[in-house]
Amino acid sequence: MDPCAPTTRRGALTPVLARTAVRAATASWGSDRRRQRLRVRTSAEVLTARGLRVRVVCPPVAWPRGPRFVVADAAGWTDVLALATVVPGVPVVDAALAGPPLLRALARRGGLLVDDGGSGVRAEVTALLRRGVAVTAHPGGTAAGDGTPGRFRADAFTPAVEAQAAVCPVAVRRTDGDLVEVRLLPALGPGRVPGVLAALAEHALAHVLEATGPAVPIPPPPVRRRTVRARVGYGRTRPEPTREGTPCSPTP
């Protein structure tokens, strides 16, 4: 949560957080589909209460069917929530992000997996992928929050190798204003070496984040003056020719 948010947005966010706590406490009562709907609805409500919008950029080639291990960078909960509204699946959040015990308990009650680096979470992710359930993970991400791509942990990709699931990278970045862009990148086929998959996903995200930096204003094209040629017999001289590709000089 941003403590520097305007007071009006804080007031709008308070009831949303209260509903989020109630939903997380009762999420285990329903089916997996109900928990998925609650995650999407809650994520959208929190982002709306904070005055944020989400823009989705689809990949040039559709992701393959079957189990998907979706990996994205995350500088904070805003990126996690934005991805949850776009890509359905069971989210895996880093233990550092869900630091407070209460927040970690609510995340687990809401169906999120908290990755503390142990083998238990990796076993759960492997089981979900083998069942054909998509998993969204943030294995490292942009911890600095300055748009610089971080390093993905290779061990986080072990479940994708064991379940032979496609790895789908996603670049999440906060643009100027109230817009969060979620850019879906081409999928990586199932691999055998977790380190190679982690490196390829890092490279894909770094290429996008470095290429989509702050927009540089493009200067307007130079104004060309129309040259009127004098007709013969009217006592006018022909104008001096100008160089092709350069604007004409103003008439003194």
Side-chain angles (χ1 to χ4, degrees):
M1 186 187 306
D2 186 4
C4 299
T7 306
T8 54
R9 292 185 180 178
R10 288 183 186 175
L13 191 59
T14 300
V16 174
L17 295 179
R19 289 195 298 269
T20 300
V22 174
R23 290 171 183 169
T26 60
S28 58
W29 295 355
S31 61
D32 293 340
R33 181 173 297 181
R34 177 178 178 271
R35 284 194 291 270
Q36 175 63 34
R37 289 199 303 266
L38 290 177
R39 283 193 293 265
V40 174
R41 182 178 177 181
T42 301
S43 300
E45 287 181 355
V46 173
L47 293 174
T48 302
R50 297 193 61 187
L52 298 176
R53 298 177 295 113
V54 177
R55 180 176 65 188
V56 184
V57 180
C58 297
V61 179
W63 285 351
R65 295 183 178 181
R68 299 170 182 169
F69 186 64
V70 183
V71 293
D73 51 319
W77 277 102
T78 297
D79 299 337
V80 177
L81 298 177
L83 181 62
T85 62
V86 176
V87 180
V90 178
V92 180
V93 297
D94 193 84
L97 194 59
L102 178 59
L103 182 58
R104 187 174 301 190
L106 290 175
R108 287 172 174 167
R109 291 284 295 180
L112 280 69
L113 299 178
V114 180
D115 187 6
D116 55 1
S119 59
V121 174
R122 290 198 296 269
E124 291 186 60
V125 173
T126 303
L128 290 171
L129 293 175
R130 285 175 175 171
R131 286 166 44 196
V133 179
V135 177
T136 59
H138 307 272
T142 55
D146 57 356
T148 304
R151 299 299 303 272
F152 285 160
R153 300 190 310 273
D155 59 347
F157 290 77
T158 302
V161 174
E162 295 178 349
Q164 284 298 287
V167 176
C168 304
V170 178
V172 183
R173 70 186 188 107
R174 178 79 174 269
T175 62
D176 295 337
D178 58 352
L179 187 64
V180 181
E181 182 183 86
V182 179
R183 184 180 292 267
L184 311 183
L185 306 179
L188 305 174
R192 297 183 179 181
V193 182
V196 174
L197 291 175
L200 291 175
E202 285 178 16
H203 178 75
L205 264 66
H207 179 73
V208 171
L209 295 176
E210 291 174 1
T212 55
V216 178
I218 302 176
V223 179
R224 294 179 178 272
R225 290 182 177 274
R226 184 178 180 183
T227 302
V228 180
R229 296 183 179 276
R231 296 182 180 179
V232 179
Y234 284 89
R236 300 176 182 175
T237 58
R238 292 182 178 272
E240 293 292 332
T242 58
R243 293 183 181 180
E244 183 178 358
T246 59
C248 300
S249 301
T251 303

